Amino acid sequence: MKKLIEWIKSPASDRFFLIVVILLLNIVSVRSFVRLDLTSQKTYSLSKASKNVVKNIESPLSIKMFFSEDLPSPYNNVQQYLTDLLSEYKSNASSAFSYQIYDMSKEENQRIAQEYGLSPVQIDTVETAGFSSKIAWMGIAITYGDYIASIDALKTSADIEYKITTTISKIISAQETDAEAMYQIGYITGHKEYELRSNRYAQSYFETGAGNFRTLLSDIYSIKEIDLTHENIPVNLNAVIINGPKEEIPEDQLKKIDDYIMQGGNVAFFVDALDEYFVNNDQLPIFLENNSNITKLLEGYGIKIDGSFVMDQKCFYQNQSGFGKQFLHWVPVIDKDSTPRKNAITDNLGGILLFCASPIDISEIEKNSDIKTTVLAKSSDESWRAKENIILYPGSNLPSENENLKAENLAVLAEGNFSSAFNPSVKSTLKSKIVVVSSGASTTDVIVDSEGTSATALFLRNIIDYVNNNEDFCAMRTKGTRLDFISIKNEKSAFIVKMLNEFGLAVVIILIGFIVWRMRIARRYIIHQKYNPDDKRFISSKKNDEGGSEK
């Protein structure tokens, strides 16, 4: 026993214990899933909403992954991401959650995938000989009780978590309530608001309809159209949308909106400050102040929308044959520097387009200490206002030489305890959220793409999620959509960054090695000085009288 203790204390046992520790760590790692996510967007971590959904599953729920092996880049990254993501779900879920990964090289598994409603997809790859196509399986099926939901063509990892979590939530909700959508949201009608359908025969930008906007919301929301002429806004609705009214809203109906906000309701306002009028069919339209009175309601809360359009040098442009770039100054491009970071609506987003937006003045509402105000989007410092003789044509409405160019607020968020717009002495005891976007036209098919993947579509959808108290969905949907670039201002800085990328790691390793080498020499010198300072064999090196060396 004494020899064993002495052996344990001796350096001879170090290697043995190192091997034991490594073996134990491997055993633990096989049974537990641990991963550190160092990305700024937390791309590889489950959102709080996802954890809550799978944590509370009571009946057996299974996710079946049908993904082909040996896919080319970037699809192989999607496969690995999905595999890791399912492990994350499992580690945070109840015992009722499970998942299986199928080998798609087997025909029987392909038949199983087809029974779940999945189909192979064609992917294009670039090879040495040129382009080639390949058929691959890239989908999952989720089963819960009698419900089966399939998610096909997972070609990107950007919104996989959002799709899985919302699908799980939908089928659980359908099992419990027999409702196809998880949430209901109100949509005010009766004042020539944008119709929630596409108009293929539109004669102008403003007549295209908001069909894509409705499709964008349809995955988890059912829309309840509300005519304020005949009914009040139901208190049980978390949020309502007011989208581009063009006809006058009577005061009694404005008071219904105000009453809803006073009772803790949330509202997303998409407002066109100017309206389009055609004097003659063969002439260009003119733009006059919108008389819907919705701007007056917002002024009662301290949010003022100016009756002009914001034109911006940093805008969307089209390449037209024979004319080159055609700049549409009335469509500002809102980059990530013009949106707030660490905000659920705009985080990870850049390149938002707003169509015919107007300046928003929030100086009054900012005086209210009970309201937190956030500017969600603003134009660049090279923008100006156009109020008269507005023509939506490239090269028109350019700024004058004396024009005051400055950034303008185009979308704002206000949240807190609001005072009534009709009786400021009455203050709500419940917190509300108001989002104001000074461009109802930005919800139309002119801007919102049919796939709902553009930055503008994600921005609009995040607004609806936020006012409906689904903030976690915002971050989940936009994971991986933002590219974090290094800001390089000149060629010298670019050269330095390039050298650091190519040789920086090697230089760091050499420096560390040099420092360790010098530290070892210093340590040996200190030890010799302390215990045997007279032993000159290790202190100096010089030639002796016989021509040899002395150490």
Side-chain angles (χ1 to χ4, degrees), residues 113-134:
Q114 290 175 336
E115 291 173 358
Y116 283 118
L118 299 173
S119 302
V121 296
Q122 179 177 304
I123 58 175
D124 298 322
T125 60
V126 180
E127 298 179 351
T128 306
F131 287 93
S132 66
S133 296
K134 182 178 181 179

Side-chain angles (χ1 to χ4, degrees), residues 432-449:
S432 300
K433 300 173 185 175
I434 290 178
V435 175
V436 180
V437 180
S438 61
S439 170
S442 294
T443 66
T444 67
D445 294 356
V446 173
I447 296 294
V448 181
D449 61 305

Side-chain angles (χ1 to χ4, degrees), residues 25-26 54 57 66 129 138 180 189 206 213 271 276 332 335 413 455 477 494 504 513 520 531:
L25 286 174
N26 275 275
V54 296
I57 295 174
F66 301 94
M138 307 175 71
E180 293 185 1
T189 62
F206 297 88
F213 182 56
V271 183
E276 182 184 49
D335 59 25
L413 162 67
R477 186 183 302 107
R520 291 183 65 182
Y531 296 104

Side-chain angles (χ1 to χ4, degrees), residues 68-80:
S68 298
E69 294 285 343
D70 301 323
L71 292 177
S73 180
Y75 307 111
N76 57 344
N77 295 330
V78 178
Q79 180 188 18
Q80 185 59 53

Side-chain angles (χ1 to χ4, degrees), residues 314 333-341 375-380:
K314 192 171 185 178
V333 177
I334 317 300
D335 59 25
K336 67 177 184 178
D337 295 327
S338 298
T339 59
R341 298 298 91 186
V375 176
L376 296 176
K378 59 183 178 180
S379 61
S380 75

Side-chain angles (χ1 to χ4, degrees), residues 233-459:
I233 301 175
V235 181
N236 63 334
L237 288 178
N238 282 337
V240 298
I241 301 170
I242 300 176
N243 188 15
K246 296 174 178 58
E247 288 185 347
E248 181 180 359
I249 304 177
E251 185 173 305
D252 65 312
Q253 295 184 28
L254 293 176
K255 286 183 177 179
K256 290 181 179 180
I257 300 172
D258 183 67
D259 289 342
Y260 174 72
I261 293 174
M262 290 300 101
Q263 296 177 69
N266 307 316
V267 184
F269 291 91
F270 299 97
V271 183
D272 294 316
L274 299 178
D275 198 6
E276 182 184 49
Y277 294 90
F278 286 89
V279 180
N280 295 309
N281 292 333
D282 57 345
Q283 293 182 348
L284 292 172
I286 60 174
F287 292 89
L288 302 176
E289 187 174 349
N290 189 322
N291 62 359
S292 67
N293 289 335
I294 203 69
T295 55
K296 294 181 180 178
L297 175 67
L298 291 172
E299 282 188 43
Y301 301 124
I303 302 172
K304 184 177 182 180
I305 303 179
D306 185 70
S308 61
F309 285 156
V310 173
M311 303 287 175
D312 200 336
Q313 294 286 11
K314 192 171 185 178
C315 62
F316 177 78
Y317 65 85
Q318 296 173 327
N319 285 311
Q320 189 171 352
S321 178
F323 296 93
K325 292 182 179 180
Q326 300 293 298
F327 292 91
L328 310 186
H329 296 297
W330 60 91
V331 188
V333 177
I334 317 300
D335 59 25
K336 67 177 184 178
D337 295 327
S338 298
T339 59
R341 298 298 91 186
K342 305 302 180 183
N343 180 277
I345 296 175
T346 57
D347 199 15
N348 303 331
L349 290 182
I352 300 168
L353 303 179
L354 292 180
F355 190 93
C356 290
S358 301
I360 303 177
D361 183 357
I362 57 173
S363 57
E364 283 299 318
I365 196 171
E366 285 182 321
K367 298 176 183 177
N368 190 339
S369 59
D370 294 322
I371 303 294
K372 177 186 176 183
T373 308
T374 306
V375 176
L376 296 176
K378 59 183 178 180
S379 61
S380 75
D381 293 331
E382 299 180 276
S383 58
W384 66 98
R385 301 185 183 189
K387 196 161 190 173
E388 298 178 352
N389 302 320
I390 299 174
I391 301 175
L392 301 185
Y393 191 81
S396 62
N397 304 110
L398 296 178
S400 62
E401 293 183 0
N402 300 323
E403 191 77 47
N404 181 25
L405 302 180
K406 64 174 184 176
E408 301 282 4
N409 301 330
L410 305 180
V412 298
L413 162 67
E415 45 193 338
N417 301 97
F418 287 85
S419 297
S420 170
F422 296 93
N423 187 358
S425 62
V426 177
K427 181 178 291 186
S428 172
T429 57
L430 301 174
K431 293 185 181 296
S432 300
K433 300 173 185 175
I434 290 178
V435 175
V436 180
V437 180
S438 61
S439 170
S442 294
T443 66
T444 67
D445 294 356
V446 173
I447 296 294
V448 181
D449 61 305
S450 58
E451 299 296 325
T453 56
S454 67
T456 309
L458 295 175
F459 174 66

